[in-house]
Amino acid sequence: MSAVAGATLQPGASRATQAGQPLLEVRNLKMHFTMTRGILSRGAAAKIKAVDDVSFTIARGETLGLVGESGCGKTTTGRCILHLEKPTAGEIIFEGQNLTNLGRKALNEKRERMQVIFQDPYSSLNPRMKVGAIIGEPMKVHGIYRNQKEREKRVAELLSVCGLNPKFMDRYPHEMSGGQRQRVGIARALSLNPHFIVCDEAVSALDVSIQAQVINLLENLREQFNLSYLFIAHDLSVVHHLCHRVAVMYLGRLVELADSDELFSNPLHPYTQALLEAVPIPDPDVEKQRAHRVMKGEIPSPINPPSGCVFHPRCPLAVGSCQQEVPGLRELKPGHWVACPRV
Amino acid sequence: MPVLLQVENLRTQFYTSAGTVRAVDGISYTVNEGETVGIVGESGCGKSVGALSILRLIPDPPGKIASGSIRFQGRDILAMSDEELRNLRGAQISMVFQEPMTSLNPVLTIGLQLCETMELHLKLTPEQARSRATELLGMVGISEPERRLQQYPHHLSGGMRQRVMIALALSCNPKLIIADEPTTALDVTIQAQILELMKDLTKRLGVALIIITHNLGVVARYADRVYVMYAGKIIEGGSASDIYHRPLHPYTLGLLRSVPRMDRPRGNRLIPIDGQPPDLTREIEGCAYRPRCSFAVARCEHEVPPLDSVGGGHTSACFEKARLQGLLKEAS
Ligand SMILES: Nc1ncnc2c1ncn2[C@@H]1O[C@H](COP(=O)(O)OP(=O)(O)OP(=O)(O)O)[C@@H](O)[C@H]1O
Ligand SMILES: Nc1ncnc2c1ncn2[C@@H]1O[C@H](COP(=O)(O)OP(=O)(O)OP(=O)(O)O)[C@@H](O)[C@H]1O
Ligand code: SF4
Ligand SMILES: [Mg+2]
Ligand SMILES: [Mg+2]
């Protein structure tokens, strides 16, 4: 199987999307950054393939998880979808329209429907603004509810939807706990009635007891407003719990994509297998039964990634041809896609 | 196994403009020789302050160890002279922190940092120290150790730096290593590499290990015994199996219900703990967990539940532990 196969197939159509059109379709997305190196190399440019030929779809009401280790391209994928980054190549099709060749006005309208929730609520909230103003700002900018009274009513409503007392409107971010600030971030993301939200490590900084509260809130909101999420996280247990389907990335490439339960109970790609084995399960009896094999080596530099399959230097299944051929995704079972010719 | 470390009724406080922070509020626990003890709890519950207190590394001002005793191999650390303390810190108890960059000196080579400590504490000659440093780097899985000795910390990846920290921690044959969130900043496959390494080496060399973490999975995989902290207190202690399968404190039970399990099919909603931990600058009356507790009874409001034994080394600080025990029996 050659690289071309990965480019032509459109992996990841879930049962829900087969019926109708997906809410979001990412086609052969590439984001390559050019880095000018130090003086010693006389300004020679290095290329980082942060996202390299990634394709997937997300249905209405669906949560797609995006996992993988630091630097594998999760955030960049999210930023390209939101048009915060102009992709090197590929297409983003949202609600049937190709964002890549949309005019400015139409693009802005579509972008209202797409929001983002970040990891660190503290750095993403303006410390000098009160919570009410923070949540109301997008409505003001986009000219919804021009009237202050109406806007305040809506802010109060959003706060209570997110499990906060409307009194919090008059507080500053530093007067709130981490979990409360994350709820403010969610309320702000909801203010323009989005259809799609990128949750980039949205619960990662929270303690377990608070994290569970926010996870439940995200699930309730999804059901209530038929939202779709791209849920980016490094905590695989949380991803398994929250996501219908999960995509695994390694060094800018998708290596596996499947229904959540299928991926976690039957991982096929050797990288996914190693990743899941590395996650400790909060049960000492289960842990005693598990093999604690450790994957060798570290993630290679994205500046000079390995040839062929980017995973081959760490892969227990690698053979000679893995150093030359870039494996495309293959559908080994309905809905279960793997980029490895050896499984 | 003989007791190595015995902490009794330790209280560490910070005197700040916002009031007195009761960061560690009367904790007692033991660590036996060669065992791995996990300390879990959420952010701000006093895990790090408790660990730093053992080595008397609390910044004063604003902090102070207000009362209690810490016995290491029978000797009271709180009564040690500066000289004895230096010897203890470098050689008998070592620490591994979350971010190795804060404990490695950025302007010194790896080799110099390793050798310096060993020349000082083990009275090795420079040549002996160098050869032991090479051996140590090999032991923690660093390739080409000779070359690495000449590198600076910033030349290494986060995982490699943590390996160097472990080599440093082991260099003077300590009896105890305290690892405070040693892998929290690392990716999961690197986290597994580092934790497996720590487990293998401490078991092989008979070194006791305290792992401080908020990750319930890490504790389940590596700890022999576990202490759970909440608002500056230890609220439950016992074997890993007791804590995870027979929790006798509502907070422990709540924590376990809050974490998703990836080894079970998805579908159920998590059962979070309502509310949030208390502000430690305020005096807490009664049980600190009461505002979030669904088992609370009248006396919880005014009386502080003591950490009582329920047998078999299992302790719980809850007035209603008998009711929890009953529920567990029913469920099983
Ligand atoms: N603006 C940029 N310029 C150059 N390189 C970049 C830029 N943004 C990201 N990168 C690089 O692209 C790669 C992917 O980064 P990205 O932030 O998407 O990873 P990630 O999967 O979100 O990682 P993490 O889990 O650490 O958040 C990294 O090697 C990163 O250094
Ligand atoms: N130097 C200090 N001055 C004032 N208060 C402090 C100081 N250091 C710690 N504290 C307070 O002591 C309490 C316990 O802190 P500690 O660092 O032990 O928490 P922790 O359990 O290690 O949390 P984390 O999981 O976030 O590391 C916290 O409320 C913290 O704010
Ligand atoms: S002592 Fe009372 S309030 Fe505290 S945990 Fe037990 S039942 Fe709950
Ligand atoms: Mg990221
Ligand atoms: Mg800490």
Side-chain angles (χ1 to χ4, degrees), chain B residues 27-82:
Chain B
I27 61 171
S28 303
Y29 66 96
T30 56
V31 177
N32 298 323
E33 276 178 22
E35 76 171 339
T36 297
V37 167
I39 297 183
V40 280
E42 295 177 271
S43 189
C45 71
K47 305 182 294 296
S48 296
V49 171
L52 292 171
S53 300
I54 295 173
L55 287 174
R56 283 171 54 189
L57 289 171
I58 298 297
D60 174 7
K64 228 181 197 73
I65 297 179
S67 66
S69 77
I70 304 170
R71 299 192 156 271
F72 180 72
Q73 296 186 302
R75 288 154 59 223
D76 189 357
I77 293 179
L78 297 184
M80 281 184 183
S81 68
D82 287 355

Short mmCIF file of all heavy atoms in Angstrom, two decimals, chain B residues 27-82:
data_model
loop_
_atom_site.label_atom_id
_atom_site.label_comp_id
_atom_site.label_asym_id
_atom_site.label_seq_id
_atom_site.Cartn_x
_atom_site.Cartn_y
_atom_site.Cartn_z
N ILE B 27 -0.26 15.26 60.24
CA ILE B 27 -0.25 13.95 59.57
C ILE B 27 0.72 13.00 60.25
O ILE B 27 1.76 13.39 60.76
CB ILE B 27 0.10 14.05 58.05
CG1 ILE B 27 1.48 14.63 57.81
CG2 ILE B 27 -0.95 14.87 57.32
CD1 ILE B 27 1.92 14.55 56.36
N SER B 28 0.35 11.72 60.25
CA SER B 28 1.20 10.67 60.81
C SER B 28 1.23 9.52 59.81
O SER B 28 0.18 9.10 59.32
CB SER B 28 0.62 10.14 62.13
OG SER B 28 0.46 11.19 63.05
N TYR B 29 2.43 9.05 59.51
CA TYR B 29 2.53 7.86 58.66
C TYR B 29 3.91 7.23 58.78
O TYR B 29 4.83 7.84 59.33
CB TYR B 29 2.19 8.18 57.20
CG TYR B 29 3.16 9.09 56.48
CD1 TYR B 29 4.18 8.56 55.69
CD2 TYR B 29 3.02 10.46 56.56
CE1 TYR B 29 5.05 9.40 55.00
CE2 TYR B 29 3.88 11.30 55.89
CZ TYR B 29 4.90 10.76 55.10
OH TYR B 29 5.76 11.59 54.43
N THR B 30 4.02 6.02 58.27
CA THR B 30 5.31 5.35 58.31
C THR B 30 5.68 4.85 56.92
O THR B 30 4.82 4.62 56.08
CB THR B 30 5.27 4.10 59.23
OG1 THR B 30 4.22 3.26 58.78
CG2 THR B 30 5.06 4.48 60.67
N VAL B 31 6.98 4.71 56.72
CA VAL B 31 7.49 4.07 55.50
C VAL B 31 8.47 3.00 55.97
O VAL B 31 9.38 3.29 56.75
CB VAL B 31 8.21 5.09 54.59
CG1 VAL B 31 8.80 4.39 53.37
CG2 VAL B 31 7.26 6.20 54.17
N ASN B 32 8.26 1.77 55.52
CA ASN B 32 9.16 0.69 55.90
C ASN B 32 10.32 0.59 54.93
O ASN B 32 10.24 1.07 53.80
CB ASN B 32 8.40 -0.64 55.92
CG ASN B 32 7.28 -0.64 56.93
OD1 ASN B 32 7.42 -0.05 58.01
ND2 ASN B 32 6.17 -1.25 56.58
N GLU B 33 11.38 -0.07 55.36
CA GLU B 33 12.54 -0.23 54.49
C GLU B 33 12.17 -0.93 53.20
O GLU B 33 11.46 -1.93 53.21
CB GLU B 33 13.63 -1.03 55.22
CG GLU B 33 14.47 -0.13 56.10
CD GLU B 33 15.53 -0.88 56.89
OE1 GLU B 33 15.91 -1.98 56.48
OE2 GLU B 33 15.96 -0.33 57.93
N GLY B 34 12.60 -0.39 52.09
CA GLY B 34 12.46 -1.05 50.81
C GLY B 34 11.07 -1.03 50.18
O GLY B 34 10.88 -1.54 49.09
N GLU B 35 10.08 -0.44 50.84
CA GLU B 35 8.74 -0.48 50.24
C GLU B 35 8.44 0.79 49.44
O GLU B 35 9.11 1.81 49.57
CB GLU B 35 7.66 -0.68 51.32
CG GLU B 35 7.37 0.55 52.14
CD GLU B 35 6.16 0.38 53.06
OE1 GLU B 35 5.32 -0.50 52.80
OE2 GLU B 35 6.07 1.15 54.03
N THR B 36 7.41 0.69 48.60
CA THR B 36 6.98 1.85 47.83
C THR B 36 5.64 2.33 48.38
O THR B 36 4.68 1.58 48.43
CB THR B 36 6.83 1.48 46.34
OG1 THR B 36 8.11 1.10 45.84
CG2 THR B 36 6.32 2.67 45.52
N VAL B 37 5.64 3.60 48.81
CA VAL B 37 4.44 4.18 49.39
C VAL B 37 3.92 5.26 48.46
O VAL B 37 4.69 6.10 47.99
CB VAL B 37 4.77 4.77 50.79
CG1 VAL B 37 3.64 5.64 51.29
CG2 VAL B 37 5.05 3.65 51.78
N GLY B 38 2.65 5.23 48.17
CA GLY B 38 2.05 6.28 47.34
C GLY B 38 1.32 7.29 48.20
O GLY B 38 0.63 6.91 49.15
N ILE B 39 1.48 8.56 47.89
CA ILE B 39 0.69 9.59 48.56
C ILE B 39 -0.13 10.30 47.49
O ILE B 39 0.43 10.88 46.56
CB ILE B 39 1.58 10.58 49.33
CG1 ILE B 39 2.33 9.82 50.44
CG2 ILE B 39 0.75 11.72 49.92
CD1 ILE B 39 3.19 10.67 51.34
N VAL B 40 -1.46 10.19 47.58
CA VAL B 40 -2.32 10.80 46.57
C VAL B 40 -3.22 11.85 47.18
O VAL B 40 -3.51 11.84 48.37
CB VAL B 40 -3.26 9.79 45.85
CG1 VAL B 40 -2.54 9.03 44.79
CG2 VAL B 40 -3.96 8.88 46.82
N GLY B 41 -3.70 12.71 46.33
CA GLY B 41 -4.60 13.76 46.77
C GLY B 41 -4.58 14.86 45.73
O GLY B 41 -3.70 14.90 44.87
N GLU B 42 -5.57 15.74 45.80
CA GLU B 42 -5.70 16.76 44.77
C GLU B 42 -4.79 17.95 45.04
O GLU B 42 -4.21 18.08 46.12
CB GLU B 42 -7.16 17.18 44.68
CG GLU B 42 -8.02 16.03 44.19
CD GLU B 42 -9.49 16.40 44.14
OE1 GLU B 42 -10.17 16.22 45.15
OE2 GLU B 42 -9.92 16.87 43.09
N SER B 43 -4.71 18.80 44.04
CA SER B 43 -3.83 19.96 44.11
C SER B 43 -4.06 20.76 45.39
O SER B 43 -5.20 21.03 45.76
CB SER B 43 -4.11 20.83 42.89
OG SER B 43 -3.16 21.84 42.82
N GLY B 44 -2.96 21.10 46.06
CA GLY B 44 -3.05 21.97 47.23
C GLY B 44 -3.37 21.27 48.54
O GLY B 44 -3.54 21.91 49.56
N CYS B 45 -3.44 19.93 48.54
CA CYS B 45 -3.81 19.23 49.76
C CYS B 45 -2.64 19.05 50.71
O CYS B 45 -2.81 18.55 51.82
CB CYS B 45 -4.48 17.89 49.46
SG CYS B 45 -3.35 16.67 48.82
N GLY B 46 -1.44 19.41 50.28
CA GLY B 46 -0.30 19.37 51.20
C GLY B 46 0.72 18.27 50.93
O GLY B 46 1.59 18.02 51.76
N LYS B 47 0.64 17.62 49.76
CA LYS B 47 1.56 16.53 49.46
C LYS B 47 3.01 17.01 49.41
O LYS B 47 3.88 16.43 50.04
CB LYS B 47 1.19 15.88 48.11
CG LYS B 47 -0.24 15.40 48.01
CD LYS B 47 -0.53 14.72 46.68
CE LYS B 47 -0.45 15.64 45.47
NZ LYS B 47 -1.47 16.72 45.47
N SER B 48 3.25 18.07 48.63
CA SER B 48 4.63 18.54 48.47
C SER B 48 5.16 19.14 49.75
O SER B 48 6.31 18.90 50.13
CB SER B 48 4.70 19.59 47.35
OG SER B 48 4.36 19.01 46.13
N VAL B 49 4.34 19.93 50.43
CA VAL B 49 4.79 20.55 51.68
C VAL B 49 5.14 19.45 52.69
O VAL B 49 6.15 19.52 53.39
CB VAL B 49 3.71 21.51 52.23
CG1 VAL B 49 4.07 21.97 53.64
CG2 VAL B 49 3.56 22.71 51.31
N GLY B 50 4.33 18.40 52.73
CA GLY B 50 4.62 17.28 53.62
C GLY B 50 5.96 16.64 53.29
O GLY B 50 6.75 16.31 54.18
N ALA B 51 6.25 16.48 51.99
CA ALA B 51 7.50 15.85 51.57
C ALA B 51 8.70 16.76 51.87
O ALA B 51 9.72 16.31 52.37
CB ALA B 51 7.44 15.53 50.08
N LEU B 52 8.55 18.04 51.56
CA LEU B 52 9.65 18.98 51.80
C LEU B 52 9.94 19.11 53.29
O LEU B 52 11.08 19.33 53.69
CB LEU B 52 9.32 20.35 51.20
CG LEU B 52 9.26 20.40 49.67
CD1 LEU B 52 8.71 21.74 49.20
CD2 LEU B 52 10.64 20.16 49.06
N SER B 53 8.91 18.93 54.11
CA SER B 53 9.10 19.01 55.56
C SER B 53 10.05 17.92 56.05
O SER B 53 10.84 18.14 56.97
CB SER B 53 7.77 18.88 56.29
OG SER B 53 6.89 19.92 55.92
N ILE B 54 9.98 16.75 55.41
CA ILE B 54 10.84 15.64 55.84
C ILE B 54 12.31 16.04 55.76
O ILE B 54 13.11 15.70 56.62
CB ILE B 54 10.59 14.38 54.95
CG1 ILE B 54 9.17 13.88 55.16
CG2 ILE B 54 11.60 13.29 55.27
CD1 ILE B 54 8.79 12.75 54.22
N LEU B 55 12.67 16.79 54.73
CA LEU B 55 14.06 17.23 54.58
C LEU B 55 14.28 18.65 55.11
O LEU B 55 15.31 19.25 54.87
CB LEU B 55 14.48 17.14 53.10
CG LEU B 55 14.67 15.72 52.59
CD1 LEU B 55 14.94 15.72 51.10
CD2 LEU B 55 15.83 15.07 53.33
N ARG B 56 13.31 19.16 55.82
CA ARG B 56 13.36 20.54 56.36
C ARG B 56 13.70 21.54 55.27
O ARG B 56 14.56 22.40 55.43
CB ARG B 56 14.36 20.59 57.51
CG ARG B 56 13.73 19.99 58.77
CD ARG B 56 14.69 19.81 59.91
NE ARG B 56 15.41 21.01 60.31
CZ ARG B 56 16.42 21.01 61.18
NH1 ARG B 56 16.80 19.87 61.75
NH2 ARG B 56 17.04 22.11 61.51
N LEU B 57 13.03 21.43 54.15
CA LEU B 57 13.27 22.33 53.02
C LEU B 57 12.16 23.38 52.90
O LEU B 57 11.99 23.98 51.85
CB LEU B 57 13.39 21.53 51.71
CG LEU B 57 14.65 20.69 51.57
CD1 LEU B 57 14.56 19.77 50.35
CD2 LEU B 57 15.89 21.58 51.45
N ILE B 58 11.39 23.59 53.94
CA ILE B 58 10.30 24.58 53.91
C ILE B 58 10.89 25.99 54.02
O ILE B 58 11.66 26.26 54.94
CB ILE B 58 9.32 24.33 55.08
CG1 ILE B 58 8.68 22.95 54.96
CG2 ILE B 58 8.25 25.41 55.14
CD1 ILE B 58 7.83 22.75 53.74
N PRO B 59 10.58 26.88 53.07
CA PRO B 59 11.11 28.24 53.15
C PRO B 59 10.59 28.95 54.41
O PRO B 59 9.39 29.00 54.64
CB PRO B 59 10.59 28.91 51.87
CG PRO B 59 9.42 28.09 51.45
CD PRO B 59 9.70 26.70 51.90
N ASP B 60 11.54 29.47 55.19
CA ASP B 60 11.18 30.12 56.46
C ASP B 60 11.83 31.48 56.51
O ASP B 60 13.06 31.54 56.54
CB ASP B 60 11.67 29.22 57.60
CG ASP B 60 11.46 29.86 58.97
OD1 ASP B 60 10.82 30.94 59.04
OD2 ASP B 60 11.94 29.29 59.97
N PRO B 61 11.12 32.62 56.53
CA PRO B 61 9.68 32.72 56.35
C PRO B 61 9.28 32.44 54.90
O PRO B 61 10.16 32.46 54.06
CB PRO B 61 9.40 34.17 56.75
CG PRO B 61 10.67 34.91 56.39
CD PRO B 61 11.77 33.92 56.63
N PRO B 62 8.01 32.23 54.60
CA PRO B 62 6.83 32.34 55.45
C PRO B 62 6.46 31.04 56.17
O PRO B 62 5.54 31.04 56.97
CB PRO B 62 5.73 32.68 54.44
CG PRO B 62 6.15 31.94 53.21
CD PRO B 62 7.65 31.97 53.19
N GLY B 63 7.19 29.93 55.88
CA GLY B 63 6.73 28.65 56.40
C GLY B 63 7.40 28.25 57.70
O GLY B 63 8.44 28.78 58.07
N LYS B 64 6.81 27.32 58.39
CA LYS B 64 7.39 26.77 59.61
C LYS B 64 6.80 25.40 59.89
O LYS B 64 5.61 25.20 59.68
CB LYS B 64 7.08 27.70 60.79
CG LYS B 64 8.31 28.00 61.61
CD LYS B 64 8.02 28.89 62.79
CE LYS B 64 9.31 29.49 63.34
NZ LYS B 64 9.89 30.53 62.51
N ILE B 65 7.67 24.50 60.35
CA ILE B 65 7.14 23.25 60.88
C ILE B 65 6.71 23.57 62.30
O ILE B 65 7.53 23.88 63.15
CB ILE B 65 8.22 22.15 60.86
CG1 ILE B 65 8.62 21.87 59.40
CG2 ILE B 65 7.72 20.88 61.55
CD1 ILE B 65 9.69 20.82 59.21
N ALA B 66 5.41 23.55 62.52
CA ALA B 66 4.88 24.06 63.78
C ALA B 66 4.97 23.03 64.90
O ALA B 66 5.18 23.39 66.05
CB ALA B 66 3.44 24.53 63.59
N SER B 67 4.80 21.76 64.55
CA SER B 67 4.91 20.73 65.59
C SER B 67 5.04 19.36 64.95
O SER B 67 4.94 19.21 63.74
CB SER B 67 3.68 20.76 66.50
OG SER B 67 2.53 20.38 65.76
N GLY B 68 5.29 18.37 65.78
CA GLY B 68 5.38 17.00 65.30
C GLY B 68 6.79 16.46 65.38
O GLY B 68 7.71 17.15 65.82
N SER B 69 6.96 15.20 64.95
CA SER B 69 8.30 14.64 64.90
C SER B 69 8.45 13.82 63.62
O SER B 69 7.48 13.30 63.08
CB SER B 69 8.57 13.77 66.13
OG SER B 69 7.91 12.53 65.99
N ILE B 70 9.69 13.78 63.11
CA ILE B 70 9.99 13.01 61.92
C ILE B 70 11.21 12.15 62.25
O ILE B 70 12.30 12.68 62.43
CB ILE B 70 10.32 13.93 60.72
CG1 ILE B 70 9.17 14.92 60.47
CG2 ILE B 70 10.59 13.11 59.47
CD1 ILE B 70 9.52 16.01 59.46
N ARG B 71 10.99 10.86 62.40
CA ARG B 71 12.12 9.98 62.75
C ARG B 71 12.56 9.19 61.53
O ARG B 71 11.75 8.55 60.88
CB ARG B 71 11.71 9.03 63.87
CG ARG B 71 11.32 9.76 65.13
CD ARG B 71 11.21 8.83 66.33
NE ARG B 71 11.39 9.64 67.52
CZ ARG B 71 12.57 9.89 68.09
NH1 ARG B 71 13.66 9.32 67.60
NH2 ARG B 71 12.66 10.67 69.13
N PHE B 72 13.86 9.26 61.27
CA PHE B 72 14.43 8.50 60.17
C PHE B 72 15.46 7.55 60.76
O PHE B 72 16.42 8.00 61.39
CB PHE B 72 15.08 9.46 59.16
CG PHE B 72 15.70 8.77 57.99
CD1 PHE B 72 14.91 8.19 57.01
CD2 PHE B 72 17.08 8.68 57.86
CE1 PHE B 72 15.48 7.54 55.92
CE2 PHE B 72 17.65 8.04 56.78
CZ PHE B 72 16.85 7.47 55.80
N GLN B 73 15.28 6.28 60.61
CA GLN B 73 16.12 5.26 61.25
C GLN B 73 16.27 5.58 62.74
O GLN B 73 17.37 5.51 63.29
CB GLN B 73 17.48 5.20 60.58
CG GLN B 73 17.38 4.75 59.13
CD GLN B 73 18.75 4.54 58.49
OE1 GLN B 73 19.56 5.46 58.44
NE2 GLN B 73 18.98 3.34 58.02
N GLY B 74 15.18 5.99 63.35
CA GLY B 74 15.18 6.25 64.78
C GLY B 74 15.64 7.64 65.20
O GLY B 74 15.41 8.05 66.33
N ARG B 75 16.28 8.39 64.28
CA ARG B 75 16.79 9.71 64.68
C ARG B 75 15.81 10.80 64.29
O ARG B 75 15.25 10.78 63.19
CB ARG B 75 18.14 9.97 64.02
CG ARG B 75 19.25 9.10 64.64
CD ARG B 75 20.37 8.86 63.67
NE ARG B 75 20.99 10.09 63.21
CZ ARG B 75 21.32 10.31 61.94
NH1 ARG B 75 21.06 9.41 61.01
NH2 ARG B 75 21.89 11.45 61.59
N ASP B 76 15.63 11.78 65.18
CA ASP B 76 14.67 12.85 64.94
C ASP B 76 15.26 13.90 64.00
O ASP B 76 16.19 14.62 64.37
CB ASP B 76 14.25 13.48 66.27
CG ASP B 76 13.08 14.45 66.07
OD1 ASP B 76 12.67 14.66 64.91
OD2 ASP B 76 12.59 14.99 67.07
N ILE B 77 14.71 13.98 62.81
CA ILE B 77 15.23 14.93 61.82
C ILE B 77 15.05 16.37 62.31
O ILE B 77 15.90 17.23 62.08
CB ILE B 77 14.53 14.73 60.46
CG1 ILE B 77 14.93 13.37 59.87
CG2 ILE B 77 14.86 15.86 59.49
CD1 ILE B 77 14.29 13.04 58.55
N LEU B 78 13.97 16.62 63.02
CA LEU B 78 13.70 17.99 63.46
C LEU B 78 14.72 18.47 64.50
O LEU B 78 14.84 19.66 64.76
CB LEU B 78 12.28 18.12 63.99
CG LEU B 78 11.18 17.85 62.95
CD1 LEU B 78 9.80 18.09 63.54
CD2 LEU B 78 11.38 18.70 61.71
N ALA B 79 15.46 17.53 65.09
CA ALA B 79 16.44 17.91 66.11
C ALA B 79 17.87 17.89 65.56
O ALA B 79 18.83 18.10 66.29
CB ALA B 79 16.32 16.98 67.32
N MET B 80 18.02 17.62 64.25
CA MET B 80 19.37 17.47 63.70
C MET B 80 20.10 18.81 63.55
O MET B 80 19.50 19.83 63.27
CB MET B 80 19.30 16.80 62.32
CG MET B 80 19.12 15.31 62.40
SD MET B 80 19.17 14.60 60.75
CE MET B 80 18.85 12.89 61.16
N SER B 81 21.43 18.75 63.68
CA SER B 81 22.26 19.93 63.43
C SER B 81 22.36 20.14 61.91
O SER B 81 22.04 19.25 61.13
CB SER B 81 23.66 19.72 64.00
OG SER B 81 24.31 18.70 63.25
N ASP B 82 22.84 21.32 61.49
CA ASP B 82 22.98 21.61 60.06
C ASP B 82 23.87 20.59 59.37
O ASP B 82 23.60 20.17 58.25
CB ASP B 82 23.56 23.02 59.86
CG ASP B 82 22.54 24.09 60.20
OD1 ASP B 82 21.38 23.71 60.49
OD2 ASP B 82 22.90 25.28 60.19
#
